[in-house]
Amino acid sequence: MDFIDLGRQYELIKDKVETGIKNVVETRHFIMGPEITELESRLAEFTGRKYCLTCGSGTEALQIPLMAFKLKKTDAVFVPAFTFFASAESVNLAGGTPVFVDVDTKFNMSIDSLKKEIERVLSEGKLTPRGIIPVDLFGRSANYDQIIPVAEEYGMFVLEDAAQGFGGNLRGKRNGSFGDVSATSFFPAKPLGCYGDGGAIFTDDEELYNTMKSIRVHGCGSDKYDNVRIGMNGRLDTIQAAVLLAKLDIFEDELEARQRVASWYSRELSNVFVVPEVDDDYYSAWAQYSLLAKDEEERTRIVNGMKEKNIPIMIYYPIPLHKQTAYVNLGYGDISLPHCESISKRVFSIPMHPYLTEEEVVAICDALKSVV
Ligand SMILES: Cc1ncc(COP(=O)(O)O)c(C=O)c1O
């Protein structure tokens, strides 16, 4: 069994993908071909944002807006410590300083911890609060109802990390449309993934869009050999855009299928685990279906027991960011974020993709219950 079965999806879209790739090869528009423009306009429409810029990865999708914000070393950007490394790494890459925040019971940024960290930064007086990067972890929108007012109160930007949340929404407002600017990833395992690396940025701000567009291609000005700022090579390949256009056609159906898979899991597991909360406001993209073991020992038993039954279990994330060697070396090692530290020892994710059948879900849950 695969953790994410991209083979079953390929069977459905094979013809469109192959025609799309063949067309790029035959027309030889490998760089910024018409598929890029078409994809950007369809993605902007999908999220409800005015502008979309595709780019080479989710990491670049975070880094490009942060470069546009001209971060200084003394600028603090608040990031949850329970996420993929790139959510914080992008802040360092753009020249700023990440400040780690604890998460809540939904695995997303905790408002109490956010406010506490902002006040701590202000009282220490070394850094200036500049921005917040809420992460739509495992597919569920972060708590924008509370995060955006905090950002407004302190005059900070909000950069939504929708790498895992793309396709989800909060009361119908789609992930990718929150805050000043949003970033997503098309890494193959993401809810909307391509066949390599890819990403996209969304905003309603025309000036920011134009700056980011310039950064995406070496800080270009009026033409590509006029360089007006430091940028990068951050383009998405046209071939990946052709793949994404084919996948976008079935994306809504896949999102609905993910809701069904998640509800089967919750039905089967709610008497053994605290299952992820589903409420009317939040439509998750279900990038992962994640659970918490009682303790680290039970998690090890689950991982090993399921491996014996050939059912893959993944651990997102075993080490919170402030405990990663890179950040310990930058002096973050003594920070204490108790919830991140506790859940990173207990969290585990079970197979999740739109093509799981009810029988497979029941079999996975029976195996899990027998191991526990
Ligand atoms: C929350 C989050 N942010 C950022 C990224 C970075 O995306 P990419 O791998 O496309 O650079 C990922 C990808 O795993 C992610 O899960």
Side-chain angles (χ1 to χ4, degrees):
M1 175 178 290
D2 290 333
F3 189 73
I4 296 172
D5 192 339
L6 291 173
R8 292 191 211 176
Q9 183 197 51
Y10 183 57
E11 287 308 313
L12 278 184
I13 53 172
K14 204 169 190 281
D15 289 347
K16 259 192 201 160
V17 167
E18 288 174 4
T19 311
I21 293 177
K22 190 161 169 261
N23 187 50
V24 176
V25 176
E26 283 176 359
T27 56
R28 296 180 294 284
H29 284 132
F30 300 113
I31 304 292
M32 300 305 275
E35 288 80 358
I36 295 281
T37 321
E38 185 186 345
L39 180 66
E40 288 178 345
S41 95
R42 282 185 61 187
L43 290 173
E45 196 187 332
F46 182 86
T47 55
R49 286 281 206 189
K50 277 197 193 142
Y51 305 103
C52 167
L53 263 184
T54 53
C55 59
S57 67
T59 306
E60 285 173 1
L62 291 163
Q63 193 187 342
I64 291 171
L66 291 168
M67 286 172 75
F69 290 139
K70 295 198 178 122
L71 293 184
K72 294 196 288 287
K73 192 95 203 301
T74 51
D75 286 337
V77 180
F78 297 85
V79 187
F82 188 69
T83 174
F84 182 61
F85 193 65
S87 309
E89 179 191 37
S90 55
V91 177
N92 297 90
L93 285 170
T97 299
V99 173
F100 292 117
V101 176
D102 212 344
V103 293
D104 60 19
T105 52
K106 319 270 184 347
F107 301 113
N108 281 338
M109 185 179 257
S110 146
I111 294 301
D112 289 344
S113 175
L114 172 64
K115 288 182 182 163
K116 202 172 126 203
E117 290 304 318
I118 295 170
E119 287 304 327
R120 187 182 59 76
V121 162
L122 286 172
S123 71
E124 283 177 7
K126 291 184 198 141
L127 301 174
T128 311
R130 267 301 298 284
I132 307 175
I133 304 185
V135 181
D136 303 329
L137 206 78
F138 301 151
R140 182 186 165 101
S141 321
N143 184 352
Y144 295 102
D145 291 339
Q146 290 187 294
I147 292 172
I148 289 174
V150 171
E152 281 166 359
E153 185 185 336
Y154 292 93
M156 288 189 280
F157 66 77
V158 172
L159 162 55
E160 174 191 9
D161 182 344
Q164 299 183 17
F166 197 74
N169 70 65
L170 169 53
R171 287 190 297 276
K173 184 169 162 55
R174 282 213 152 115
N175 295 343
S177 72
F178 292 100
D180 302 275
V181 55
S182 311
T184 198
S185 162
F186 301 130
F187 183 81
K190 296 292 187 241
L192 181 65
C194 58
Y195 289 160
D197 279 309
I201 311 164
F202 303 89
T203 186
D204 295 316
D205 179 334
E206 187 178 6
E207 198 184 327
L208 178 61
Y209 167 73
N210 285 326
T211 307
M212 296 192 300
K213 202 170 175 185
S214 158
I215 291 172
R216 177 175 68 171
V217 187
H218 304 291
C220 60
S222 53
D223 74 68
K224 72 174 182 173
Y225 298 113
D226 171 33
N227 306 94
V228 298
R229 56 171 65 78
I230 298 298
M232 60 163 76
N233 175 358
R235 295 174 296 237
L236 178 72
D237 290 344
T238 311
I239 285 181
Q240 299 301 348
V243 172
L244 286 163
L245 284 169
K247 290 204 183 190
L248 204 48
D249 287 345
I250 56 164
F251 190 44
E252 302 262 22
D253 292 342
E254 290 191 336
L255 288 165
E256 278 300 295
R258 284 176 187 272
Q259 311 306 310
R260 283 195 295 277
V261 173
S263 71
W264 295 330
Y265 270 138
S266 297
R267 182 193 69 202
E268 295 298 314
L269 294 172
S270 59
N271 55 345
V272 187
F273 291 98
V274 178
V275 295
E277 197 179 304
V278 177
D279 54 56
D280 290 345
D281 285 354
Y282 288 85
Y283 182 90
S284 176
W286 293 111
Q288 307 298 343
Y289 190 95
S290 301
L291 297 162
L292 290 175
K294 275 203 288 291
D295 50 33
E296 201 169 8
E297 195 213 314
E298 185 184 70
R299 182 174 71 181
T300 307
R301 196 148 39 86
I302 290 170
V303 171
N304 294 339
M306 295 295 272
K307 200 171 170 196
E308 273 170 26
K309 295 175 191 291
N310 283 323
I311 298 173
I313 299 289
M314 302 292 279
I315 297 180
Y316 304 113
Y317 294 94
I319 307 174
L321 298 189
H322 59 298
K323 300 291 180 198
Q324 289 284 355
T325 308
Y327 283 112
V328 170
N329 289 343
L330 287 172
Y332 288 78
D334 294 336
I335 292 171
S336 161
L337 298 170
H339 200 233
C340 287
E341 285 150 34
S342 161
I343 60 178
S344 58
K345 293 195 178 82
R346 296 157 55 215
V347 72
F348 64 98
S349 304
I350 55 182
M352 182 41 141
H353 62 82
Y355 301 96
L356 277 167
T357 63
E358 193 168 359
E359 292 71 46
E360 286 170 320
V361 166
V362 171
I364 293 167
C365 295
D366 287 347
L368 187 54
K369 285 189 253 184
S370 76
V371 170
V372 171

